[in-house]
Amino acid sequence: MPHLKTEEMIMNMGPQHPSTHGVLRLELVTDGEVVKSITPHIGYLHRCFEKHGEELTYPMIIPFTDRLDYLASMNNNHAFNLAVEKLLNLEVPRKVEFIRVIVAELQRIASHLVAIGTFGADIGAVTPFLWTFRDREVILNLFENLTGARMLYNYMWPGGVARDFPKGFREEIGAFITYFRPKIRDLNNLLTGNHIFISRTAHVGVLPADVAVNYNCTGPVLRGSGVKWDLRKNDPYSIYPEFEFDIPVGQGTMGTLGDTWDRYYIRCQEMEQSLNIIEQALAKFPVEDATDVQAAVPRRIKPPAGEVYARAENPRGELGFYIISDGGTKPFRVRAKSPCFVNLAVLPALGKGIMVSDIVAILGSIDIVLGEVDR
Amino acid sequence: MKPSEIVDLLKQQEFGDKILSFEENTFQPGIQINPLWIEDIFYFLRDDDRLAFDSLSCLSGVDYGAGKELGVVYHLFSMKHNHWLVVKVKLDRESPHVPTVEHIYKAANWHERETFDMYGIVFDFHPDLRKILLPDDWEGYPLRKDYQVQELYHGIKVPF
Amino acid sequence: MHDLVLKTLGIGDLLAWLGVPDGSLVYPVVASVFPLVFLIIFALLAVYAERKVSALIQNRLGPMETGPWGLFQTTADILKLIQKEDITPKAADKILFFVAPVLVFTGTYASLAAFPWSSGFVGADLNVGIFYLLAISSLVVAGLLMAGWGSNNKWSLYGAVRSTAQIVSYEIPAGLAVLTAIVTTGTLSMNGIIRHQEGMWFGLLFQSPFLFVAFIIYLIASLAEVNRTPFDLPEAESELVGGYHTEYSGMKFAMFFLAEYGNMFIVSGIAVAVFMGGWLTPWGTEPSVLMGVVWMILKSLFFVFFQMWLRWTLPRFRVDQLMYLCWKVLIPIAFACLIGQAAVEVYL
């Protein structure tokens, strides 16, 4: 029937869609089930973080950083404080560093749990989602005990943290580690090795290493492409050099190097590495140290004029803060370089000639948080 | 490689007169360059094996104050050699134009769109220079220091 | 069907006693209401069971608040659905949009007419019973396609096209698998097939390896026919929002829901009747009429549970993988089983 013409269909995936992980709109040009091109439209959650930053003092910006990547608030706090402390040339007490590393790694596990769970749900397996949320709940309860908040903590301050560990808190974290290790095994049994899961994710959305670097992808997306790059090791900050841990990289175990399965599995392995770091940190924790965790926090934060770019390894990649100070109590310019924003930019490059179902898999494996994409 | 060595290398490549200034005593030493030559310099920075700046870590627009010029700050990082270079360009406030580096670093694509959105800096030859975070019909460039928020947006009062 | 229903349940006597004259329309009306009531009650309980099974698998409690152990949760949900506004999108094709859920439900409802509840209790023991069941349950496809097209929504269209391709494709391995059993029984009548299995432990299932494989194929294909995980692509929430029922709400949505759970029961019932001895006891004797109903429902419920179990364990296939599995794996194996079983029948 040569007289019958077919034409491409333009679809709007989002802003309300179950697997865009927030208010993201993807404009798809499809030919049946095959996607010809993807155009992401973002900005639905834009809240002018950078403009706010210019109007607020440094301590007042910290709660705003919580709300960037709201699944990894601790890590956001950490990155911002690194920048401010560098600007102030501030020495952080050793005990505070330990506390920061422990909570940051716990937060990384919590964040990866969400990533893994939602990824499973995107592929169609709902049970892993509830399992991971059950385990994340334990971490959130720990944080609630520590900070009083479940998601947005405002916990780390320049030079210190808001509160010391409560009594028995380290034992609770230890109990969590013993509880959680077998759960990772369960998760791998249920999802990682599942034949359907592998057939859905292997060879899908292959991101070659050079493309990943050129797009400046970071975090699990970059490591999934086989680049051994982790700021905790390669550009160390805080007291990470004191701990022994591996950087898991993608190996193309189930398919091609840099496919969605690799990116997914990186997160599973990173959770174990984070547990290792927490274990070591608990073992080395300066128990006798009675330093007040707020002792080094300056009464008035007024950095000298200058500029600094500091970055930290967030669960989703490299979160950078570029701060220009004019010598006042408010920054002249705060720029948040968000890993999700950068990682999402690679989606159009991956989304050619794939199927509609693959978009969901790729997007889930990139693991974006729209709060950070739109800032 | 130290920043001063990087600058020396650039000067050897006859980029000397394109480098307008060099700030050494900051956290991340940076150079200010002539915006017209940004592509040539970036190609050299990326492709030369001694420098190998393979990633554009951050691209930020800056407004140096009402009445002063606008700027774009490129944080270049080399994963191979683990060194930094901050490249700055300063642009005329009335017609800020700078050539795009999108074809050199794909990461610049969305960053440049954002900078265009927030500062109105036009990245010449960018393949897809549209607003990214703000609505398409938003007026003004919010991160400029002299930004005045519009009164009404589609009949909705904006300042609250 | 109505004669049998009325006889079995004694409703006929009741109606006669109430003074309803012979040959009155009341008899067939009452008789046809029975499967409807069964379907609704089954769907209510199945949704509750689905929630509890998923809760069991996911380390939760499931509904606990409404009634004891949350037993009335589904009832409350149905009440809520009835009260909801019946929205028809402006751009929808009004007629198709309205007819689709009715048609889908009709397919489910009509298949109960030939459903072998028990020895003396089958609506219409047609001599082409199994053929009728397979045919009438495919009516769903037309309904889904209408729903997808009539909604005038791109996601619905995707869901409808997917489901049509899927159900039409998987009819073939399912049909071939059933045919393998029919080669042995030599009849298409539901009760005839079941009676053939008398004296066999678990019916035809363990009678020959070909039948066993055919049973597995039927099980897989039946999952696809009722759009259950891992073949729930037509309504894949994470991809197509809601698939063909994206635009549906209120009672129309409830009808899709009812049909889905009804279909789960019917495909399980067919599997049980053809391969597992239907209403016979597992050891192959003929029970009383009432016990036959119990055995039939128990066996079917086991497979309903199996479907739920799979749903909460497995991820979802992709469209091309779904088609690959059907055309390149299941159909060749099903053909081999059919030929093998035919050879067994002819030469042994």
Side-chain angles (χ1 to χ4, degrees), chain A residues 22-73:
Chain A
V23 278
L24 166 70
R25 180 160 73 94
L26 299 177
E27 193 182 313
L28 314 179
V29 179
T30 57
D31 178 8
E33 286 274 351
V34 180
V35 177
K36 298 274 173 172
S37 75
I38 307 177
T39 316
H41 293 270
I42 62 172
Y44 293 92
L45 215 59
H46 181 55
R47 346 188 254 302
C48 333
F49 167 74
E50 290 171 14
K51 189 76 181 170
H52 276 299
E54 291 175 11
E55 303 296 328
L56 299 167
T57 62
Y58 292 92
M60 285 159 84
I61 297 173
I62 295 173
F64 281 80
T65 65
D66 279 337
R67 286 150 180 84
L68 291 176
D69 178 353
Y70 42 76
L71 295 176
S73 307

Short mmCIF file of all heavy atoms in Angstrom, two decimals, chain A residues 22-73:
data_model
loop_
_atom_site.label_atom_id
_atom_site.label_comp_id
_atom_site.label_asym_id
_atom_site.label_seq_id
_atom_site.Cartn_x
_atom_site.Cartn_y
_atom_site.Cartn_z
N GLY A 22 9.77 13.61 38.55
CA GLY A 22 9.56 15.00 38.91
C GLY A 22 8.95 15.71 37.72
O GLY A 22 8.40 15.09 36.82
N VAL A 23 9.05 17.04 37.72
CA VAL A 23 8.42 17.79 36.65
C VAL A 23 9.41 18.03 35.52
O VAL A 23 9.91 19.12 35.35
CB VAL A 23 7.82 19.10 37.16
CG1 VAL A 23 6.47 18.85 37.77
CG2 VAL A 23 8.74 19.74 38.17
N LEU A 24 9.66 17.02 34.77
CA LEU A 24 10.51 17.12 33.59
C LEU A 24 9.63 16.84 32.38
O LEU A 24 8.76 15.98 32.43
CB LEU A 24 11.63 16.08 33.68
CG LEU A 24 12.43 15.79 32.42
CD1 LEU A 24 13.30 16.98 32.08
CD2 LEU A 24 13.29 14.57 32.61
N ARG A 25 9.83 17.60 31.33
CA ARG A 25 9.06 17.31 30.11
C ARG A 25 10.02 16.89 29.02
O ARG A 25 10.99 17.59 28.72
CB ARG A 25 8.29 18.55 29.67
CG ARG A 25 7.47 18.31 28.41
CD ARG A 25 6.37 19.33 28.29
NE ARG A 25 6.87 20.64 27.91
CZ ARG A 25 6.94 21.07 26.65
NH1 ARG A 25 6.56 20.32 25.65
NH2 ARG A 25 7.39 22.28 26.38
N LEU A 26 9.76 15.73 28.46
CA LEU A 26 10.56 15.27 27.34
C LEU A 26 9.68 15.33 26.10
O LEU A 26 8.59 14.78 26.08
CB LEU A 26 11.02 13.83 27.56
CG LEU A 26 11.89 13.58 28.78
CD1 LEU A 26 12.18 12.10 28.89
CD2 LEU A 26 13.18 14.34 28.66
N GLU A 27 10.18 16.03 25.09
CA GLU A 27 9.44 16.09 23.84
C GLU A 27 10.01 15.00 22.95
O GLU A 27 11.17 15.04 22.56
CB GLU A 27 9.65 17.47 23.23
CG GLU A 27 8.71 17.78 22.10
CD GLU A 27 9.03 19.16 21.54
OE1 GLU A 27 9.19 20.11 22.33
OE2 GLU A 27 9.14 19.27 20.31
N LEU A 28 9.19 13.99 22.67
CA LEU A 28 9.67 12.86 21.90
C LEU A 28 9.13 12.95 20.47
O LEU A 28 7.97 13.27 20.27
CB LEU A 28 9.18 11.54 22.50
CG LEU A 28 9.29 11.34 24.00
CD1 LEU A 28 8.71 9.99 24.36
CD2 LEU A 28 10.72 11.42 24.42
N VAL A 29 9.97 12.65 19.53
CA VAL A 29 9.51 12.45 18.16
C VAL A 29 9.59 10.95 17.93
O VAL A 29 10.66 10.35 17.98
CB VAL A 29 10.39 13.20 17.16
CG1 VAL A 29 9.90 12.95 15.75
CG2 VAL A 29 10.37 14.67 17.46
N THR A 30 8.41 10.33 17.75
CA THR A 30 8.41 8.88 17.69
C THR A 30 7.87 8.41 16.35
O THR A 30 7.06 9.06 15.71
CB THR A 30 7.51 8.29 18.79
OG1 THR A 30 6.21 8.83 18.65
CG2 THR A 30 8.05 8.60 20.15
N ASP A 31 8.36 7.24 15.98
CA ASP A 31 7.85 6.54 14.81
C ASP A 31 7.40 5.18 15.33
O ASP A 31 8.19 4.27 15.46
CB ASP A 31 8.97 6.42 13.77
CG ASP A 31 8.50 5.67 12.54
OD1 ASP A 31 7.30 5.39 12.46
OD2 ASP A 31 9.35 5.36 11.69
N GLY A 32 6.14 5.08 15.68
CA GLY A 32 5.69 3.87 16.37
C GLY A 32 6.34 3.81 17.73
O GLY A 32 6.30 4.77 18.48
N GLU A 33 6.96 2.68 18.02
CA GLU A 33 7.61 2.56 19.33
C GLU A 33 9.03 3.11 19.31
O GLU A 33 9.69 3.16 20.33
CB GLU A 33 7.64 1.09 19.76
CG GLU A 33 6.30 0.54 20.22
CD GLU A 33 6.03 0.79 21.69
OE1 GLU A 33 6.93 1.23 22.40
OE2 GLU A 33 4.88 0.54 22.11
N VAL A 34 9.52 3.48 18.14
CA VAL A 34 10.91 3.92 18.04
C VAL A 34 10.99 5.42 18.21
O VAL A 34 10.22 6.16 17.62
CB VAL A 34 11.52 3.50 16.68
CG1 VAL A 34 12.96 3.95 16.58
CG2 VAL A 34 11.41 2.00 16.51
N VAL A 35 11.92 5.84 19.04
CA VAL A 35 12.09 7.27 19.32
C VAL A 35 13.14 7.83 18.39
O VAL A 35 14.24 7.31 18.29
CB VAL A 35 12.50 7.48 20.79
CG1 VAL A 35 12.73 8.94 21.06
CG2 VAL A 35 11.47 6.92 21.70
N LYS A 36 12.78 8.90 17.67
CA LYS A 36 13.74 9.52 16.75
C LYS A 36 14.60 10.55 17.47
O LYS A 36 15.77 10.70 17.18
CB LYS A 36 12.99 10.18 15.60
CG LYS A 36 12.19 9.23 14.76
CD LYS A 36 13.05 8.62 13.67
CE LYS A 36 12.23 7.56 12.98
NZ LYS A 36 12.82 7.01 11.81
N SER A 37 13.97 11.31 18.36
CA SER A 37 14.78 12.31 19.07
C SER A 37 14.08 12.69 20.37
O SER A 37 12.87 12.55 20.50
CB SER A 37 15.00 13.55 18.21
OG SER A 37 13.81 14.31 18.17
N ILE A 38 14.88 13.14 21.30
CA ILE A 38 14.36 13.58 22.59
C ILE A 38 14.79 15.02 22.81
O ILE A 38 15.97 15.34 22.63
CB ILE A 38 14.90 12.73 23.75
CG1 ILE A 38 14.68 11.25 23.50
CG2 ILE A 38 14.26 13.14 25.06
CD1 ILE A 38 15.27 10.38 24.59
N THR A 39 13.89 15.87 23.19
CA THR A 39 14.25 17.22 23.60
C THR A 39 13.76 17.44 25.02
O THR A 39 12.56 17.51 25.25
CB THR A 39 13.59 18.27 22.68
OG1 THR A 39 13.73 17.83 21.34
CG2 THR A 39 14.22 19.61 22.86
N PRO A 40 14.66 17.52 25.99
CA PRO A 40 14.20 17.78 27.36
C PRO A 40 13.85 19.25 27.55
O PRO A 40 14.52 20.13 27.01
CB PRO A 40 15.42 17.41 28.22
CG PRO A 40 16.40 16.77 27.30
CD PRO A 40 16.10 17.28 25.94
N HIS A 41 12.77 19.48 28.26
CA HIS A 41 12.39 20.84 28.64
C HIS A 41 12.39 20.89 30.16
O HIS A 41 11.64 20.16 30.80
CB HIS A 41 11.01 21.20 28.11
CG HIS A 41 10.96 21.29 26.63
ND1 HIS A 41 11.20 22.44 25.94
CD2 HIS A 41 10.73 20.35 25.69
CE1 HIS A 41 11.10 22.22 24.64
NE2 HIS A 41 10.83 20.95 24.47
N ILE A 42 13.22 21.75 30.72
CA ILE A 42 13.32 21.81 32.18
C ILE A 42 12.94 23.20 32.65
O ILE A 42 12.60 24.07 31.84
CB ILE A 42 14.73 21.43 32.66
CG1 ILE A 42 15.76 22.41 32.12
CG2 ILE A 42 15.07 20.01 32.26
CD1 ILE A 42 17.12 22.22 32.70
N GLY A 43 12.99 23.39 33.93
CA GLY A 43 12.72 24.72 34.48
C GLY A 43 11.41 24.81 35.23
O GLY A 43 11.09 25.86 35.77
N TYR A 44 10.65 23.73 35.27
CA TYR A 44 9.37 23.78 35.97
C TYR A 44 9.54 23.96 37.48
O TYR A 44 8.61 24.33 38.17
CB TYR A 44 8.59 22.49 35.70
CG TYR A 44 8.14 22.36 34.28
CD1 TYR A 44 8.92 21.70 33.35
CD2 TYR A 44 6.94 22.92 33.86
CE1 TYR A 44 8.52 21.58 32.04
CE2 TYR A 44 6.53 22.82 32.55
CZ TYR A 44 7.32 22.14 31.64
OH TYR A 44 6.92 22.04 30.35
N LEU A 45 10.73 23.64 37.97
CA LEU A 45 10.95 23.71 39.41
C LEU A 45 11.99 24.79 39.73
O LEU A 45 12.62 24.76 40.77
CB LEU A 45 11.44 22.34 39.88
CG LEU A 45 11.00 21.87 41.25
CD1 LEU A 45 9.49 21.81 41.31
CD2 LEU A 45 11.55 20.48 41.51
N HIS A 46 12.15 25.75 38.81
CA HIS A 46 13.18 26.76 39.02
C HIS A 46 12.79 27.68 40.17
O HIS A 46 11.69 28.21 40.20
CB HIS A 46 13.35 27.58 37.73
CG HIS A 46 14.41 28.62 37.84
ND1 HIS A 46 15.69 28.32 38.21
CD2 HIS A 46 14.38 29.95 37.66
CE1 HIS A 46 16.40 29.43 38.24
NE2 HIS A 46 15.63 30.43 37.91
N ARG A 47 13.70 27.83 41.15
CA ARG A 47 13.37 28.64 42.30
C ARG A 47 14.46 29.67 42.57
O ARG A 47 14.62 30.13 43.69
CB ARG A 47 13.17 27.79 43.55
CG ARG A 47 13.03 26.34 43.28
CD ARG A 47 12.65 25.54 44.45
NE ARG A 47 13.78 24.79 44.92
CZ ARG A 47 14.45 23.93 44.19
NH1 ARG A 47 14.12 23.72 42.95
NH2 ARG A 47 15.48 23.29 44.67
N CYS A 48 15.20 30.03 41.55
CA CYS A 48 16.16 31.13 41.63
C CYS A 48 17.15 30.96 42.77
O CYS A 48 17.37 31.91 43.52
CB CYS A 48 15.48 32.48 41.77
SG CYS A 48 13.86 32.60 41.10
N PHE A 49 17.73 29.80 42.90
CA PHE A 49 18.70 29.61 43.99
C PHE A 49 19.82 30.62 43.91
O PHE A 49 20.23 31.20 44.91
CB PHE A 49 19.27 28.18 43.94
CG PHE A 49 20.46 27.98 44.82
CD1 PHE A 49 20.32 27.90 46.19
CD2 PHE A 49 21.73 27.92 44.28
CE1 PHE A 49 21.41 27.73 47.01
CE2 PHE A 49 22.83 27.75 45.11
CZ PHE A 49 22.68 27.67 46.47
N GLU A 50 20.32 30.84 42.68
CA GLU A 50 21.50 31.70 42.56
C GLU A 50 21.15 33.15 42.88
O GLU A 50 21.96 33.88 43.45
CB GLU A 50 22.09 31.55 41.16
CG GLU A 50 22.72 30.17 41.02
CD GLU A 50 23.16 29.83 39.61
OE1 GLU A 50 23.22 30.74 38.77
OE2 GLU A 50 23.44 28.65 39.37
N LYS A 51 19.92 33.57 42.53
CA LYS A 51 19.51 34.93 42.86
C LYS A 51 19.31 35.07 44.38
O LYS A 51 19.72 36.06 44.97
CB LYS A 51 18.20 35.25 42.11
CG LYS A 51 17.79 36.71 42.19
CD LYS A 51 18.62 37.57 41.27
CE LYS A 51 18.23 39.03 41.35
NZ LYS A 51 19.20 39.88 40.64
N HIS A 52 18.69 34.06 44.95
CA HIS A 52 18.54 34.06 46.41
C HIS A 52 19.89 34.19 47.08
O HIS A 52 20.06 34.92 48.06
CB HIS A 52 17.89 32.75 46.88
CG HIS A 52 16.40 32.75 46.81
ND1 HIS A 52 15.62 33.62 47.50
CD2 HIS A 52 15.56 31.98 46.12
CE1 HIS A 52 14.35 33.37 47.23
NE2 HIS A 52 14.28 32.38 46.39
N GLY A 53 20.86 33.42 46.56
CA GLY A 53 22.19 33.38 47.17
C GLY A 53 22.82 34.76 47.26
O GLY A 53 23.53 35.05 48.22
N GLU A 54 22.52 35.61 46.29
CA GLU A 54 23.14 36.93 46.31
C GLU A 54 22.50 37.84 47.36
O GLU A 54 23.04 38.87 47.70
CB GLU A 54 23.01 37.58 44.92
CG GLU A 54 23.87 36.87 43.90
CD GLU A 54 23.66 37.41 42.50
OE1 GLU A 54 23.02 38.45 42.34
OE2 GLU A 54 24.16 36.76 41.56
N GLU A 55 21.33 37.46 47.84
CA GLU A 55 20.61 38.31 48.78
C GLU A 55 20.73 37.84 50.23
O GLU A 55 20.20 38.48 51.13
CB GLU A 55 19.13 38.38 48.40
CG GLU A 55 18.86 38.86 46.99
CD GLU A 55 19.30 40.29 46.78
OE1 GLU A 55 19.23 41.07 47.75
OE2 GLU A 55 19.74 40.62 45.67
N LEU A 56 21.36 36.69 50.45
CA LEU A 56 21.37 36.10 51.78
C LEU A 56 22.79 35.96 52.29
O LEU A 56 23.74 35.86 51.51
CB LEU A 56 20.72 34.71 51.75
CG LEU A 56 19.25 34.66 51.31
CD1 LEU A 56 18.84 33.25 51.03
CD2 LEU A 56 18.36 35.27 52.36
N THR A 57 22.91 35.93 53.62
CA THR A 57 24.23 35.69 54.18
C THR A 57 24.57 34.21 54.04
O THR A 57 23.71 33.38 53.77
CB THR A 57 24.27 36.08 55.67
OG1 THR A 57 23.34 35.24 56.35
CG2 THR A 57 23.88 37.51 55.89
N TYR A 58 25.85 33.92 54.27
CA TYR A 58 26.32 32.55 54.02
C TYR A 58 25.54 31.50 54.82
O TYR A 58 25.10 30.49 54.27
CB TYR A 58 27.82 32.43 54.28
CG TYR A 58 28.63 33.19 53.26
CD1 TYR A 58 29.00 34.51 53.48
CD2 TYR A 58 29.00 32.59 52.07
CE1 TYR A 58 29.72 35.20 52.53
CE2 TYR A 58 29.72 33.28 51.12
CZ TYR A 58 30.08 34.59 51.36
OH TYR A 58 30.78 35.27 50.41
N PRO A 59 25.37 31.69 56.15
CA PRO A 59 24.63 30.64 56.87
C PRO A 59 23.19 30.50 56.39
O PRO A 59 22.63 29.42 56.45
CB PRO A 59 24.64 31.13 58.33
CG PRO A 59 25.73 32.11 58.40
CD PRO A 59 25.83 32.74 57.06
N MET A 60 22.64 31.59 55.88
CA MET A 60 21.25 31.52 55.42
C MET A 60 21.11 30.77 54.11
O MET A 60 20.02 30.35 53.74
CB MET A 60 20.68 32.94 55.25
CG MET A 60 20.36 33.63 56.57
SD MET A 60 20.29 35.40 56.37
CE MET A 60 18.65 35.63 55.78
N ILE A 61 22.22 30.61 53.39
CA ILE A 61 22.14 29.90 52.10
C ILE A 61 22.08 28.40 52.33
O ILE A 61 21.53 27.66 51.52
CB ILE A 61 23.34 30.28 51.22
CG1 ILE A 61 23.28 31.77 50.89
CG2 ILE A 61 23.34 29.50 49.93
CD1 ILE A 61 24.48 32.27 50.18
N ILE A 62 22.63 27.93 53.47
CA ILE A 62 22.74 26.48 53.68
C ILE A 62 21.38 25.78 53.59
O ILE A 62 21.28 24.76 52.90
CB ILE A 62 23.46 26.20 55.02
CG1 ILE A 62 24.90 26.71 54.91
CG2 ILE A 62 23.45 24.72 55.32
CD1 ILE A 62 25.66 26.66 56.19
N PRO A 63 20.32 26.30 54.20
CA PRO A 63 19.03 25.62 54.01
C PRO A 63 18.59 25.56 52.55
O PRO A 63 17.91 24.63 52.15
CB PRO A 63 18.05 26.47 54.83
CG PRO A 63 18.88 27.16 55.81
CD PRO A 63 20.20 27.40 55.17
N PHE A 64 19.02 26.55 51.76
CA PHE A 64 18.66 26.50 50.34
C PHE A 64 19.41 25.38 49.63
O PHE A 64 18.89 24.78 48.69
CB PHE A 64 18.97 27.85 49.67
CG PHE A 64 17.92 28.88 49.94
CD1 PHE A 64 17.90 29.59 51.12
CD2 PHE A 64 16.95 29.15 48.99
CE1 PHE A 64 16.92 30.52 51.37
CE2 PHE A 64 15.97 30.09 49.23
CZ PHE A 64 15.95 30.77 50.43
N THR A 65 20.64 25.12 50.06
CA THR A 65 21.38 24.03 49.42
C THR A 65 20.73 22.68 49.74
O THR A 65 20.78 21.76 48.93
CB THR A 65 22.84 24.00 49.87
OG1 THR A 65 22.89 23.70 51.26
CG2 THR A 65 23.53 25.29 49.63
N ASP A 66 20.11 22.57 50.92
CA ASP A 66 19.35 21.36 51.24
C ASP A 66 18.38 21.03 50.14
O ASP A 66 18.16 19.88 49.80
CB ASP A 66 18.52 21.57 52.51
CG ASP A 66 19.33 21.39 53.77
OD1 ASP A 66 20.36 20.70 53.69
OD2 ASP A 66 18.93 21.93 54.80
N ARG A 67 17.77 22.08 49.62
CA ARG A 67 16.65 21.89 48.69
C ARG A 67 17.09 21.75 47.25
O ARG A 67 16.23 21.69 46.36
CB ARG A 67 15.67 23.06 48.85
CG ARG A 67 14.87 22.94 50.13
CD ARG A 67 14.48 24.25 50.70
NE ARG A 67 13.71 24.08 51.93
CZ ARG A 67 14.24 23.89 53.13
NH1 ARG A 67 15.55 23.84 53.26
NH2 ARG A 67 13.48 23.74 54.19
N LEU A 68 18.38 21.72 47.00
CA LEU A 68 18.82 21.47 45.62
C LEU A 68 18.54 20.02 45.27
O LEU A 68 17.58 19.69 44.60
CB LEU A 68 20.32 21.76 45.49
CG LEU A 68 20.73 23.22 45.59
CD1 LEU A 68 22.24 23.32 45.54
CD2 LEU A 68 20.12 24.00 44.45
N ASP A 69 19.39 19.14 45.75
CA ASP A 69 19.17 17.72 45.56
C ASP A 69 18.59 17.22 46.88
O ASP A 69 19.31 16.84 47.79
CB ASP A 69 20.50 17.04 45.23
CG ASP A 69 20.34 15.55 45.08
OD1 ASP A 69 19.24 15.05 45.37
OD2 ASP A 69 21.30 14.90 44.68
N TYR A 70 17.27 17.25 46.95
CA TYR A 70 16.64 17.00 48.26
C TYR A 70 16.77 15.56 48.72
O TYR A 70 16.32 15.23 49.80
CB TYR A 70 15.17 17.44 48.24
CG TYR A 70 14.44 17.06 46.98
CD1 TYR A 70 14.03 15.77 46.77
CD2 TYR A 70 14.19 18.01 46.00
CE1 TYR A 70 13.38 15.41 45.61
CE2 TYR A 70 13.53 17.66 44.83
CZ TYR A 70 13.13 16.35 44.65
OH TYR A 70 12.50 16.00 43.50
N LEU A 71 17.33 14.70 47.89
CA LEU A 71 17.58 13.34 48.37
C LEU A 71 18.96 13.21 48.96
O LEU A 71 19.31 12.17 49.51
CB LEU A 71 17.41 12.34 47.22
CG LEU A 71 16.00 12.24 46.66
CD1 LEU A 71 15.97 11.30 45.48
CD2 LEU A 71 15.03 11.77 47.71
N ALA A 72 19.79 14.23 48.79
CA ALA A 72 21.16 14.15 49.30
C ALA A 72 21.53 15.46 49.97
O ALA A 72 22.56 16.06 49.69
CB ALA A 72 22.12 13.83 48.16
N SER A 73 20.68 15.91 50.89
CA SER A 73 20.89 17.22 51.50
C SER A 73 22.22 17.33 52.22
O SER A 73 22.90 18.35 52.15
CB SER A 73 19.77 17.51 52.49
OG SER A 73 18.54 17.34 51.88
#
